Amino acid sequence: MENVKPLIVEIKNLSKSYRRGSQIIPVLEDINIEIPEGEFLALMGPSGSGKSTLLNLIAGIDKADSGLVKVGGIDIAALSEAELAGWRAGNVGFIFQFYNLIPVLTAFENVELPLLLTGLSKKERHEHVEMALRVVNLSDRMEHYPAQLSGGQQQRVAIARAIVTDPTILVADEPTGDLDRVSAKEILELMERLVRELGKTIIMVTHDARAAEKAHIIVHLEKGVLSFE
Amino acid sequence: MAIPLYYSFRNLWTRRLTTGLTIAGMALVVFVFAAILMLAEGLQKTLVETGSYDNTVIIRKASKSEVQSGVERGHASIIEVQPETALGPDSRRLIAKEIVVLINLPKRGTDKPSHVVIRGISEISMKIRPQIKIAEGRFPKPGSSEIMAGQSVAKRFKGGGLGEILRFGMRDWTVVGIFDAGNTGFSSEIWGDADQLMQAFRRPVYSSVILKLRDSSEFENLKQRLESDPRLTVDVLRETKYYEEQSEMMAKFLRILGLSLTIIFSLGAVIGAMITMYAAVSNRISEIGTLRSLGFQRRSILMAFLAESLLIGFIGGCVGLFFASFLQLFTVSTMNFQTFSELAFSFSLTVEIILQAMGFSLIMGFVGGVLPAFRAARMNIVEALRAS
């Protein structure tokens, strides 16, 4: 079945290292992975295994040393920094461990933020934001500031912000890492629903085995080497 | 599209204490800046308004002011018969031969002496300066030891009030009138009969001859003829030009002093803004990382932070100008270095000063914010996100 779906992420011979002083620390070496559209993939591995780095490379906020990173058919390694920013605005939805909402903006304005980078009119932006907040079931909290919301609610606003531009992929870095069990469960169910009902592709980095259970594919990354479950 | 302005504004509001203090620092500098410009402007305005365009001042060649000038009686008689002179309703020529002497008078309250201009006049002097009215009392009798004082002299100098007696030139002079010269330099003068004053001060010559032109366009003819007359050694100036020149040095001095002072002050305000903005950037590193990952370009981040410090500058400028505008209610008096006489004038706020002060304030905001904004814009996304 899975072979029928078109590939959304294609990574070939990807290497990445960090420079710390005069030392060069290799993080990822010769990574190859293909992710089909509409999948919910969990990337697991111990701390420092490079799973966040891999996620950042797919999301286009970090640059690989060598290798091919193709997302939605575009070789993002070949894009300039400014082009990459434009590409992210339209193609990537970010979900962070600490939600990363802008504290001085209301839930509505936070969700609207990525839409400011599109050519949508004010009215269209309104409609999109309202729809996104309805999907995460927070229509009644639109005018609240992040500090007035619980952790779970904040993460739902962050998810609304991630889906509002209808991006190609959603990347989530430890999305349940800062939540209690009940909220974490809600968030995972919401993410699963996004995949099942809206056909989103989610790549999630997690430590939490319970979180990984919800994913369709679980990939382990250890010492720069990928293994599939 | 840029990060909306309300983002910058609300961040300022969130840290209102530091924002407020930074704004207060800037407002103070703008206040001083505007105040000094207003002072220079007030001085200039007062002196420029003193003169009328139709009047011509004739003083000895190369003397910069009436105090330094001397016009002999014979020369005055030559000037008196020039055809460009206007005639009054009684067919008398509108020309006044005046003497200007500086004396020391103690000020009310402090007893500290200060220079006051005594102007010896004739009845014609009032006719060629129709803006001057007797406010209280009457015009001094010609040939007597009577004088009248400008309103600002009456107010500020001992013995300058109506009915009081001033002693100078080895005589007692009774103040029989107070004249209203509006917001001009004449308000800071004492007027009396020219011939009496010449005797009292033992001066054989006039200081200046002032005449009203029949037609103000004839000024150039008159100037050329008088200045090239081999019998005379005089400078011929329009009265407006003459008074403008009287204020130039002082106004320039005030402006240079003010500018150098405020530039030194502004360093403090700029450093204050810079510290505030650097703190704002380091408190929001992960926020910057988030905005960048959402797709906002480096220049949008730069603009958002720059907008914040420009807003500080803008508000600081408005507050400073708001308080400076109240200075217009005050009148100050100071020694005009050029004429060595005390002159009373008010602070004057003009559109130009408002624009200069706002520009100055925005520059302070810009300079204070530009380095922190660049720091914010230069951040690496991954490292910025890790800062949370």
Side-chain angles (χ1 to χ4, degrees):
Chain A
M1 271 296 281
E2 273 168 16
N3 293 340
V4 187
K5 290 181 185 171
L7 290 179
I8 205 94
V9 177
E10 220 181 325
I11 290 174
K12 282 202 179 101
N13 313 111
L14 178 74
S15 293
K16 173 76 184 171
S17 56
Y18 281 115
R19 187 183 285 275
R20 193 154 292 156
S22 57
Q23 250 187 321
I24 293 172
I25 304 160
V27 184
L28 299 172
E29 275 181 286
D30 201 26
I31 298 284
N32 291 285
I33 186 173
E34 288 175 346
I35 305 167
E37 194 179 3
E39 282 299 343
F40 188 175
L41 181 138
L43 194 55
M44 296 190 75
S47 299
S49 59
K51 54 192 191 305
S52 286
T53 302
L54 181 57
L55 192 75
N56 290 342
L57 289 167
I58 295 169
I61 57 173
D62 206 351
K63 282 254 180 190
D65 297 340
S66 64
L68 176 84
V69 182
K70 238 173 153 180
V71 180
I74 293 168
D75 178 10
I76 61 168
L79 298 179
S80 74
E81 194 189 79
E83 287 169 337
L84 206 52
W87 174 81
R88 283 197 302 273
N91 293 284
V92 188
F94 286 89
I95 302 164
F96 302 96
Q97 179 175 1
F98 299 105
Y99 336 125
N100 288 30
L101 297 176
I102 308 298
V104 298
L105 302 183
T106 62
F108 182 93
E109 288 161 345
N110 264 291
V111 177
E112 192 191 16
L113 212 47
L115 291 178
L116 296 176
L117 294 162
T118 64
L120 293 181
S121 71
K122 198 175 169 159
K123 192 168 161 263
E124 288 168 317
R125 290 204 303 265
H126 251 261
E127 286 165 4
H128 281 67
V129 173
E130 275 169 15
M131 194 164 30
L133 283 168
R134 213 176 305 132
V135 170
V136 300
N137 204 13
L138 272 180
S139 300
D140 54 336
R141 295 289 153 93
M142 273 197 277
E143 296 311 317
H144 285 58
Y145 285 92
Q148 298 167 316
L149 299 171
S150 72
Q153 286 170 331
Q154 286 189 56
Q155 193 61 299
R156 271 147 66 195
V157 174
I159 291 171
R161 180 177 68 185
I163 60 172
V164 75
T165 55
D166 193 20
T168 316
I169 51 167
L170 293 176
V171 295
D173 196 348
E174 305 272 12
T176 57
D178 195 47
L179 295 175
D180 60 80
R181 263 172 67 180
V182 181
S183 304
K185 191 163 164 272
E186 271 175 26
I187 292 298
L188 287 166
E189 276 165 6
L190 174 61
M191 289 170 75
E192 198 192 7
R193 220 178 79 219
L194 292 177
V195 175
R196 197 176 61 234
E197 291 175 15
L198 302 175
K200 300 283 170 204
T201 309
I202 299 181
I203 304 163
M204 171 176 73
V205 162
T206 188
H207 266 114
D208 184 0
R210 221 176 287 127
E213 266 173 28
K214 293 277 180 190
H216 306 163
I217 310 172
I218 300 174
V219 181
H220 286 274
L221 186 65
E222 211 164 343
K223 289 174 186 160
V225 180
L226 276 180
S227 58
F228 295 82
E229 220 170 62
Chain B
M1 198 165 158
I3 297 170
L5 201 62
Y6 57 72
Y7 166 78
S8 303
F9 189 79
R10 281 189 211 161
N11 273 305
L12 285 179
W13 183 245
T14 307
R15 50 186 161 92
R16 30 190 183 275
L17 182 67
T18 46
T19 301
L21 290 172
T22 315
I23 286 174
M26 289 219 173
L28 201 66
V29 176
V30 172
F31 177 83
V32 174
F33 180 80
I36 292 177
L37 290 184
M38 284 164 74
L39 204 61
E41 182 67 29
L43 173 80
Q44 235 162 4
K45 205 172 136 196
T46 300
L47 281 174
V48 169
E49 278 175 9
T50 306
S52 353
Y53 191 67
D54 282 350
N55 289 354
T56 302
V57 178
I58 297 146
I59 50 175
R60 194 185 64 212
K61 203 165 198 64
S63 56
K64 291 284 174 219
S65 68
E66 287 177 298
V67 175
Q68 299 162 2
S69 161
V71 181
E72 284 173 33
R73 283 175 189 270
H75 290 173
S77 306
I78 297 170
I79 297 163
E80 230 175 342
V81 294
Q82 299 303 318
E84 285 85 358
T85 314
L87 296 179
D90 51 359
S91 295
R92 282 170 71 189
R93 289 177 174 274
L94 293 182
I95 181 160
K97 294 170 284 185
E98 299 186 342
I99 168 173
V100 173
V101 186
L102 283 177
I103 60 159
N104 258 323
L105 282 182
K107 281 191 168 182
R108 287 190 199 277
T110 61
D111 253 5
K112 262 173 65 185
S114 190
H115 287 311
V116 179
V117 170
I118 309 276
R119 184 181 293 271
I121 54 148
S122 63
E123 280 169 83
I124 306 286
S125 297
M126 293 291 278
K127 295 211 172 85
I128 58 179
R129 300 187 182 100
Q131 75 270 29
I132 294 172
K133 304 270 181 320
I134 303 284
E136 277 176 82
R138 57 175 174 81
F139 189 79
K141 261 191 231 127
S144 70
S145 295
E146 289 180 351
I147 48 170
M148 59 178 183
Q151 273 176 329
S152 123
V153 171
K155 215 182 296 166
R156 290 182 301 119
F157 286 93
K158 252 190 187 155
L162 191 63
E164 291 185 281
I165 290 171
L166 282 171
R167 183 164 179 83
F168 57 83
M170 291 189 292
R171 272 206 225 171
D172 287 330
W173 305 79
T174 314
V175 181
V176 298
I178 306 291
F179 63 91
D180 174 10
N183 188 25
T184 69
F186 295 131
S187 277
S188 301
E189 293 184 356
I190 295 172
W191 288 10
D193 182 78
D195 291 321
Q196 292 302 311
L197 286 163
M198 284 168 86
Q199 277 178 29
F201 289 108
R202 290 177 177 71
R203 288 254 191 135
V205 296
Y206 295 110
S207 300
S208 58
V209 178
I210 292 125
L211 65 87
K212 194 178 188 82
L213 289 167
R214 186 171 59 183
D215 179 347
S216 79
S217 63
E218 286 182 321
F219 172 77
E220 285 305 325
N221 290 339
L222 179 70
K223 180 181 169 74
Q224 223 213 327
R225 180 147 24 79
L226 289 180
E227 287 185 354
S228 59
D229 192 322
R231 296 168 294 175
L232 303 171
T233 45
V234 292
D235 275 334
V236 179
L237 296 150
R238 279 197 195 270
E239 203 181 22
T240 42
K241 175 87 176 146
Y242 169 78
Y243 282 106
E244 203 182 304
E245 283 177 3
Q246 299 298 295
S247 65
E248 231 159 52
M249 195 172 90
M250 184 78 175
K252 206 175 182 180
F253 170 77
L254 280 174
R255 289 204 176 100
I256 290 173
L257 175 83
L259 218 63
S260 1
L261 211 67
T262 39
I263 283 172
I264 295 167
F265 278 1
S266 71
L267 285 179
V270 164
I271 290 169
M274 215 179 269
I275 292 170
T276 310
M277 289 312 297
Y278 266 126
V281 173
S282 18
N283 285 335
R284 305 218 303 267
I285 292 176
S286 78
E287 203 171 303
I288 294 164
T290 309
L291 289 168
R292 289 286 311 283
S293 55
L294 290 182
F296 286 98
Q297 306 275 1
R298 283 183 197 274
R299 63 165 184 276
S300 304
I301 306 288
L302 183 85
M303 294 311 284
F305 278 91
L306 215 46
E308 253 179 73
S309 68
L310 284 172
L311 268 170
I312 291 179
F314 180 78
I315 300 169
C318 290
V319 173
L321 274 173
F322 174 76
F323 286 108
S325 69
F326 287 106
L327 289 174
Q328 290 179 105
L329 303 173
F330 294 98
T331 300
V332 288
S333 64
T334 186
M335 164 87 97
N336 184 352
F337 296 152
Q338 212 152 356
T339 58
F340 293 108
S341 56
E342 178 94 1
L343 179 74
F345 56 94
S346 330
F347 289 88
S348 169
L349 186 61
T350 61
V351 177
E352 207 185 343
I353 293 175
I354 293 176
L355 292 178
Q356 283 172 337
M358 286 313 290
F360 183 66
S361 194
L362 288 174
I363 289 172
M364 284 195 289
F366 180 83
V367 175
V370 71
L371 289 178
F374 265 110
R375 191 186 159 207
R378 282 223 317 267
M379 259 172 219
N380 174 291
I381 304 177
V382 177
E383 280 168 25
L385 283 174
R386 214 177 282 150
S388 50

